[in-house]
Every structure is written in C-alpha cells, then in structure tokens.
Amino acid sequence: MRKFCIAFFVLITGLIFAGCNMQKQEQPPEGIVRICSSMNRNISEALINGFANKTGIVVEFDPLVATSLSQRLELLGNSKVDVWLGGSAEEYYMAGEREMLVPYLPGGAAGIPPQYMDRDGRWIPLTVDYIALLSNRNNMRRLGIEEPVAWEDLLQPVLHNEIVMADPTTGGAPYGMITSLWQLRGREEALQFAGKLRTQQVLYLPTEAKAGYEVYLGRKAVAVMSLRHALALEKEHRFLYAAPVQNGNKNMITAVAILKKGENQKAAARFIDYLFSKEAVRIMQEHGMRPLADGLPSVGGNAKVPGLLPNDDLGWMAGRKQELIKEWLNAK
C-alpha cells in the first residue's frame, strides 16, 4: 500500500509539472519579437540581424505578401505579428482607423518635423523618398529627345508605347503620381493629364523592379518609379538616367508600427527604438534610403524637387484608392 501511494504521488507530481510546462510553452517567450515587413528583403534582414545581434532578442521574420491593401490589413489584423515594418503612410492610416495599432514614440523620432508624423502617434515615419523618371539614354538618342524630367515630358508623341511603370494598385510611385497631381492641380486638370497619358499606351507591370528592368533592356524608354531605386540603377548602369519629377512630386514615407494583437509589445518597442539608432540609420543609408532620424534628407540625383506637395490627405488617398485609380486609368 505504501509503495502504491508513493508511485501515485510521483505520477501526480509529474502531471502537475507537465501541465506547468505546457502552459509555459503556450505563452510567448519574452525574448522573441515577430516582425512582418513590406520592405525589400535585403534591407529588412540587415536591420533585423543588427537588432538581434545587439539585443539578443530572437526575431521571427516574414516578408509581407504583395496583395491589395484590404487583404494586407485583413492578414495583419488576424495575425499575432508584433511589428509591421516598411508600409506606406496611407496604409498605416487605414490600419490606425481600424484600431490595429498601438501608439508609440521612440526618443530618436523626437526631431522629425511634424509634417511627416501621424498626429495620433499610431505609426512612426522612418524614411522618405520621391517619384523619379528613369530613362535609357540610348533610347533617348534614338528618339531624338532629352531625358524626361517633368510629367508633361511623358506626353511627347515620340514616347508613344515607350513608358512603363508598376500597377498603381501596388502603391508607390505610380499611385503617388496620381495623388500628387490630383491634389496639386485639382481633379479636372489631373484627369485631363491622365487622358493624354492614356493615349501613350503605358505598360503596367506587377512590380517596380520589372518596370526598371524593361528600361534597362531598352524595351521601354522611360519608367515612373521611386527615386531610391532609380538612383541605384543609374549608379550601376551609366546608360541610365534618374531624375526626380520636377512639377508635381511628393514625400513618399516609409513607416513602422506596433500591432495591437502582438503578444510581445515590449520587445516590439525595443525594435522600433533600434530603428532610430545610429547603427540602423547607417544600414538604411547603405541601402540607398533616406532616414528621417538623420535630419531632413537631401533629394540627391540630378535635380532638386520644385512643386513638392507639402502634405498628403491620407484619409482621401487611402479611403478612395481603388476609386481614384479607376477614374485615372479610364480618363479621356
């Protein structure tokens, strides 16, 4: 009987400890942060590896699948991701409206000018870029024209069937073209331009990288794309020419935010603090980005940017995105 009681006690004790261990396994470890990124994978991994090496915090990383904004928000809203890295200002605006974000202001962001910031602190701007035109100099010589630097330059008859860009639904520079011209010039004048551009038979591709590749190969003469990407291609291939658009450009903000459903918000805050450190700023600069934590970045490239849109109407841009794109692409 005594042996039976001892064996029973050992069994019960083992089950209790097993149950405790199971509970511990179900709870997220404090030293883990889950990050989903819309940024280029190389930049994302450089920043994440720098953070992990500096803090010892384990990072679970997934690139964010390129889908529509509503699908991205649905995916993130149902996940346990702690940090969303690399989205655009209008995307974070919509996420904030859905109450998906946790307000947080890292000390390193205190010097960023108010026009770049979300007034409710729901997301934090990291970098700024601009819209550029990437031209193939060889094609320009063949066509007998100068490299385009303004929107009206794209309407030259010789550029019929010579223009390429990413699908505006992907956001970035093509959608920035629509919203900057619409806000700066008004709906009527913007749609007049859109109708003329439509007759040029623009080629729309799934990504900016594919658009740039068409210009690199010489199959198209000019692409609408981000200045950062255009300058990187110009640096690598001297027959390419990158210029920020001169008469209707905008600040294209890349940001970061803490997601409300994440389970490791302390580690998430530490990652965002790291993004504003000197080390992270250097990593972003090495990848051609313009960190706002380093002061107001210079434009770079072959010209300055006059006619820069001072502030975007983010609610209008994000809330009416599909409607605006449809109206633009069907303009006559």
Side-chain angles (χ1 to χ4, degrees):
M1 182 68 179
R2 186 168 178 273
K3 289 182 179 179
F4 172 79
C5 289
I6 292 172
F8 181 74
F9 175 78
V10 170
L11 175 62
I12 293 298
T13 303
L15 289 173
I16 291 172
F17 277 111
C20 291
N21 288 334
M22 287 174 66
Q23 289 178 354
K24 287 181 180 178
Q25 289 173 0
E26 290 173 359
Q27 296 173 354
E30 293 181 1
I32 290 181
V33 61
R34 299 179 178 93
I35 297 173
C36 197
S37 179
S38 305
M39 280 186 180
N40 170 279
R41 190 181 187 105
N42 291 337
I43 301 171
S44 301
E45 290 181 343
L47 290 169
I48 286 166
N49 291 337
F51 170 74
N53 292 335
K54 186 172 184 177
T55 64
I57 294 175
V58 176
V59 179
E60 294 181 355
F61 165 63
D62 283 306
L64 190 58
V65 178
T67 58
S68 68
L69 174 57
S70 60
Q71 288 174 320
R72 282 197 297 276
L73 294 179
E74 191 72 23
L75 175 67
L76 290 166
N78 292 325
S79 75
K80 296 296 183 182
V81 170
D82 302 300
V83 177
W84 176 15
L85 172 66
S88 65
E90 58 264 27
E91 291 176 323
Y92 288 108
Y93 174 87
M94 290 302 292
E97 292 298 292
R98 294 190 182 194
E99 299 185 349
M100 293 169 53
L101 309 179
V102 177
Y104 181 70
L105 181 64
I112 296 176
Q115 66 263 31
Y116 296 98
M117 300 292 291
D118 174 45
R119 64 183 180 182
D120 298 315
R122 298 169 297 182
W123 49 268
I124 310 100
L126 275 179
T127 69
V128 64
D129 204 350
Y130 307 96
I131 309 171
L133 299 177
L134 178 74
S135 303
N136 187 309
R137 294 176 188 265
N138 299 328
N139 289 50
M140 294 302 150
R141 282 195 293 269
R142 175 176 58 80
L143 295 171
I145 60 172
E146 297 292 325
E147 291 82 2
V149 296
W151 292 124
E152 279 69 25
D153 293 342
L154 298 180
L155 303 182
Q156 299 175 83
V158 293
L159 288 179
H160 177 79
N161 204 32
E162 291 282 357
I163 303 167
V164 62
M165 66 183 79
D167 187 328
T169 59
T170 63
Y175 188 53
M177 171 184 67
I178 296 172
T179 59
S180 61
L181 288 174
W182 202 300
Q183 291 176 94
L184 284 167
R185 303 185 183 186
R187 176 181 179 275
E188 183 177 347
E189 189 175 339
L191 289 179
Q192 286 177 359
F193 174 87
K196 294 175 182 177
L197 185 65
R198 184 186 180 195
T199 65
Q200 294 289 70
Q201 296 295 309
V202 176
L203 174 64
Y204 294 100
L205 294 176
T207 66
E208 179 174 279
K210 291 184 177 181
Y213 190 59
E214 289 293 303
V215 175
Y216 161 74
L217 292 176
R219 293 199 289 237
K220 296 294 178 182
V222 59
V224 176
M225 61 196 316
S226 67
L227 181 59
R228 180 183 71 84
H229 194 182
L231 287 173
L233 289 170
E234 179 191 62
K235 184 178 180 180
E236 190 173 349
H237 308 289
R238 303 310 299 176
F239 60 88
L240 299 179
Y241 181 87
V245 178
Q246 297 293 294
N247 62 335
N249 215 312
K250 64 172 289 181
N251 294 311
M252 296 198 300
I253 295 171
T254 296
V256 65
I258 298 174
L259 290 167
K260 187 175 289 186
K261 283 195 175 181
E263 298 174 321
N264 301 290
Q265 292 186 4
K266 288 184 178 179
R270 289 189 66 183
F271 177 71
I272 291 180
D273 288 336
Y274 169 78
L275 293 176
F276 290 87
S277 68
K278 290 182 179 179
E279 179 184 341
V281 165
R282 176 183 54 78
I283 290 171
M284 285 185 270
Q285 288 172 333
E286 288 174 352
H287 286 82
M289 304 184 81
R290 299 172 178 82
L292 287 164
D294 194 37
L296 287 178
S298 61
V299 174
N302 298 293
K304 295 182 179 180
V305 182
L308 190 66
L309 182 68
N311 288 296
D312 276 316
D313 181 346
L314 294 178
W316 171 80
M317 285 173 57
R320 294 187 57 197
K321 184 175 181 179
Q322 299 302 322
E323 178 185 340
L324 294 174
I325 292 172
K326 183 178 180 180
E327 194 169 359
W328 179 275
L329 294 178
N330 291 304
K332 296 180 180 179

